[in-house]
Amino acid sequence: QARFSPRPRSIRSVRRFSWTNQGTYIENLQGRPETRIADTEFAVELQNSDRFAVGYSHEYELLPRPFRVGPAVTLPVGGYHFDNGRIGYTFGQQRKLAGNVLAEYGSFYNGHRAALSASRGRLSITPRLAVEPGISINAVKLVEGSFTSTLVTSRGTYTVTPFMFVSALMQYNSGTHTMSTNARLRWEYKPGSELFVVYNDERDTLAPRFPGLLNRALIVKVNRLLRF
């Protein structure tokens, strides 16, 4: 990765510019390239912590076996080249409603993909209660077929004390037709020592009697810091 990020003195509204170039190269055990990624991004960070960015990536992906990329859509074995362009805007955490909005378009395996997402959103309802909504929509058109997948998330966090909080994440995935829940309690009962109580739940939204339970788990974890 290489980055150049000057801080202009003549533009008061801009905190810094950022130009980043990065690459990834992965081979399998036979020495054949599995993944190659070349990515470049130009971003402007404003004094109010907002951030605007545009980027472009060129990728290569080797599929050693058929890959199910979407509902009833399976890609054959082979090497695929695709390019992707993106533009995004991040609203700073100092705002009542913060988050990142991103739009993407480009080739995708042997077809094209258009995506729109809103992530890392945060709405502060009270100083102790915050909600983090998110949504991602991908419209994919391939030789083998077309599909649109939607991922909707919502996380709520309530801070009981500086040492205890409760959070819950709910997620719906239209590709797998599942709704999952992850609820967690974290309590730092002593400095460096914590208690976690976690509840996981996954349900099938297409079950005859919605919601059909797929799996459920209750996890308790305790750690204790010992000083010598």
Side-chain angles (χ1 to χ4, degrees):
Q1 183 187 83
R3 183 179 65 186
F4 177 62
S5 52
R7 296 175 178 265
R9 297 181 179 179
S10 58
I11 308 176
R12 294 185 177 181
S13 60
V14 175
R15 181 175 300 170
R16 67 173 178 175
F17 296 108
S18 178
W19 185 283
T20 306
N21 290 279
Q22 58 185 353
T24 300
Y25 181 82
I26 301 173
E27 288 185 352
N28 59 20
L29 295 178
Q30 290 73 42
R32 186 177 180 183
E34 280 191 341
T35 301
R36 289 197 307 263
I37 303 174
D39 186 275
T40 184
E41 182 181 84
F42 175 74
V44 180
E45 183 179 339
L46 304 179
Q47 291 291 358
N48 62 1
S49 295
D50 286 5
R51 184 175 185 271
F52 170 77
V54 292
Y56 167 81
S57 65
H58 175 73
E59 303 182 28
Y60 168 80
E61 191 75 23
L62 173 66
L63 298 182
R65 58 184 62 86
F67 174 57
R68 186 174 182 268
V69 69
V73 178
T74 301
L75 291 169
V77 173
Y80 297 87
H81 295 268
F82 42 96
D83 301 273
N84 182 68
R86 63 185 184 274
I87 181 171
Y89 194 90
T90 300
F91 297 90
Q93 293 294 321
Q94 83 284 356
R95 296 180 180 273
K96 186 74 174 180
L97 177 60
N100 180 62
V101 179
L102 179 67
E104 301 175 85
Y105 181 79
S107 54
F108 185 70
Y109 292 99
N110 57 18
H112 292 84
R113 178 181 73 100
L116 181 64
S117 64
S119 60
R120 292 183 295 178
R122 183 177 179 86
L123 174 62
S124 299
I125 300 176
T126 70
R128 292 189 176 188
L129 178 62
V131 178
E132 302 174 23
I135 185 171
S136 176
I137 303 173
N138 287 267
V140 179
K141 185 176 182 180
L142 304 172
V143 174
E144 291 75 18
S146 303
F147 65 91
T148 299
S149 65
T150 303
L151 181 66
V152 182
T153 62
S154 180
R155 182 193 301 273
T157 303
Y158 181 75
T159 303
V160 183
T161 71
F163 306 101
M164 179 187 295
F165 73 83
V166 180
S167 67
L169 171 66
M170 296 188 66
Q171 180 173 283
Y172 168 72
N173 190 330
S174 67
T176 58
H177 303 289
T178 57
M179 180 175 291
S180 57
T181 302
N182 172 270
R184 181 175 63 155
L185 165 70
R186 176 189 176 273
W187 173 37
E188 188 175 0
Y189 58 93
K190 285 187 175 182
S193 302
E194 301 166 310
L195 166 68
F196 293 92
V197 181
V198 181
Y199 173 77
N200 292 324
D201 188 304
E202 186 176 19
R203 297 177 180 269
D204 182 5
T205 60
L206 297 182
R209 294 185 178 181
F210 175 79
L213 182 64
L214 295 175
N215 59 69
R216 176 187 291 166
L218 179 65
I219 305 162
V220 178
K221 175 184 175 181
V222 181
N223 63 56
R224 177 68 183 271
L225 176 65
L226 301 178
R227 300 181 183 273
F228 297 95

